[in-house]
Amino acid sequence: MARIACEAFDDEQALANFDKSHEEAMPDMAELQALSQRREAEVAWRRDNMERRRRLLGRHFIVATCLKNPDDYLKKPQVALNGAYPREEILGWAEWQDPMPQVQPLARESENDGQGDKAAAQPFMFNDDFEQTLSSLTLYHNRQPFFVPPHSAMVPLAAALKSFQRAAAKQHEDWKQWHKYYFPTCFGFNGDIQGQRLVLRSLVVKTPFWGDGVDNQLLEWGTRRAANRGWEILAAASTSSIVSTLNAFSELDFGELCPVDILGDTQLALVWEPGQEVENGELEQEEEQVVAKPTTMAIKDARAAVQRDSTLQESASGMGL
């Protein structure tokens, strides 16, 4: 699972990094080698974190897959009997965290009450939750610290801190919300400790499948789960995210809150609120059952995709790991 997720993330971020550096001269061989080593260190760090944290209470890794040859799968059951199973391709993945139980909220507030004036005078001083999140997302490579966001490529820690300080100075009110709640909740590993919102930590779609609706299906898994339980959903995204992902958030009625310029981009807090009732007035089945294997509708979609585009021969069907 970790290998799959890192593969999808690496593929998507490679193109994003290329786009961001298009104005710079092509690096020489030494720089290319250094970039390659840094990429390997980042992927290894992400894999290690996923292996250690994937069994946390309320953690869900949802992987979207498709069958390369769905017609063979449907019409030729003897293929499976002979050991030649149809190849399953990874389209993308999402990492979700259920709301966490509240942890002494009153004590935390009382401890911070006496520090209000100090925080106002020095808005870039970090509180405990922020520092803990920052520390948990710091990777040391060649003795240099890097900050590793859950939904974008890593950046030098010094550059990240400077962007936080600029936001604190220029966007003070929005930054207060990020500093106190959005950053620890969306970037950290514990989700919403206030116990109110399902958190989307990351959403990645492999480059060849941008615009094919994979983003929507991965988000819909979360909206179904949240609607069944009366939760809201909280996510973070940057304005330079791929268009299909931003469109998916918009189509599913995620509202934008507190834009703040950090990490070399404009980050948005996105909130989804449940409607009055679940679609068709019925509770959905448990998500683990829904995504355990390709459904009839997903297989029909796959067959339609084969007829529509012989080069891809695929459409997404959700699978939860």
Side-chain angles (χ1 to χ4, degrees):
M1 178 191 65
R3 177 189 60 78
I4 288 171
C6 288
E7 172 191 329
F9 184 90
D10 183 63
D11 184 78
E12 190 251 351
Q13 290 302 323
L15 184 58
N17 290 339
F18 177 81
D19 290 341
K20 289 183 178 180
S21 60
H22 68 280
E23 297 180 354
E24 301 178 2
M26 288 297 294
D28 57 26
M29 291 302 298
E31 292 175 332
L32 285 174
Q33 185 177 7
L35 288 173
S36 177
Q37 292 176 351
R38 196 173 78 175
R39 170 63 63 183
E40 292 177 359
E42 179 182 358
V43 171
W45 184 94
R46 291 182 185 278
R47 181 182 296 114
D48 178 67
N49 268 271
M50 294 180 67
E51 289 289 353
R52 288 188 293 110
R53 301 177 188 274
R54 67 189 178 92
R55 297 190 183 279
L56 289 177
L57 179 65
R59 179 62 52 87
H60 306 276
F61 287 97
I62 306 303
V63 180
T65 66
C66 71
L67 297 176
K68 291 293 290 184
N69 298 301
D71 284 336
D72 290 342
Y73 179 77
L74 292 172
K75 297 179 180 179
K76 302 176 181 179
Q78 68 274 13
V79 173
L81 296 177
N82 294 333
Y85 292 94
R87 181 171 178 266
E88 208 170 29
E89 176 141 0
I90 303 302
L91 309 180
W93 65 286
E95 180 183 3
W96 296 91
Q97 177 63 54
D98 287 348
M100 300 293 286
Q102 296 189 23
V103 182
Q104 298 181 347
L106 297 179
R108 179 174 296 278
E109 291 177 1
S110 63
E111 291 172 359
N112 292 335
D113 285 344
Q115 301 178 4
D117 296 338
K118 181 179 179 180
Q122 301 183 29
F124 55 84
M125 296 297 290
F126 304 141
N127 62 27
D128 292 341
D129 289 340
F130 192 98
E131 289 185 348
Q132 182 179 1
T133 302
L134 198 64
S135 176
S136 67
L137 295 173
T138 299
L139 159 68
Y140 285 87
H141 176 61
N142 290 338
R143 298 183 179 180
Q144 295 184 355
F146 291 87
F147 177 67
V148 189
H151 55 272
S152 59
M154 70 179 188
V155 297
L157 181 61
L161 293 176
K162 287 182 180 179
S163 72
F164 299 153
Q165 293 176 0
R166 285 195 298 268
K170 297 181 179 180
Q171 301 170 285
H172 182 62
E173 292 302 319
D174 288 334
W175 172 251
K176 283 198 304 183
Q177 297 298 319
W178 275 85
H179 174 247
K180 182 179 179 181
Y181 178 64
Y182 294 129
F183 185 89
T185 302
C186 295
F187 284 66
F189 293 99
N190 296 324
D192 183 9
I193 62 173
Q194 297 182 10
Q196 299 174 347
R197 290 167 169 169
L198 176 66
V199 175
L200 174 65
R201 286 201 73 247
S202 57
L203 173 66
V204 178
V205 178
K206 295 184 70 173
T207 308
F209 309 105
W210 288 359
D212 288 347
V214 180
D215 321 70
N216 297 66
Q217 293 196 32
L218 291 170
L219 286 176
E220 285 170 1
W221 184 94
T223 57
R224 288 196 302 269
R225 184 174 182 81
N228 291 337
R229 293 159 175 79
W231 295 339
E232 295 181 353
I233 296 177
L234 180 65
S238 67
T239 54
S240 66
S241 299
I242 58 176
V243 175
S244 60
T245 298
L246 295 176
N247 288 342
F249 281 118
S250 177
E251 290 169 6
L252 292 175
D253 298 324
F254 279 76
E256 299 179 3
L257 299 173
C258 295
V260 63
D261 297 328
I262 55 175
L263 305 175
D265 208 341
T266 300
Q267 300 286 333
L268 302 170
L270 302 171
V271 176
W272 179 90
E273 298 179 353
Q276 297 299 320
E277 58 182 1
V278 181
E279 186 178 359
N280 299 327
E282 298 179 357
L283 291 178
E284 299 284 347
Q285 301 178 25
E286 285 296 319
E287 291 81 356
E288 289 75 7
Q289 298 175 0
V290 173
V291 300
K293 59 183 179 179
T295 62
T296 302
M297 181 60 69
I299 293 175
K300 289 180 179 179
D301 291 343
R303 297 184 63 180
V306 172
Q307 299 174 358
R308 182 178 66 250
D309 190 344
S310 60
T311 60
L312 289 179
Q313 298 185 356
E314 55 208 10
S315 75
S317 65
M319 174 173 292
L321 297 181

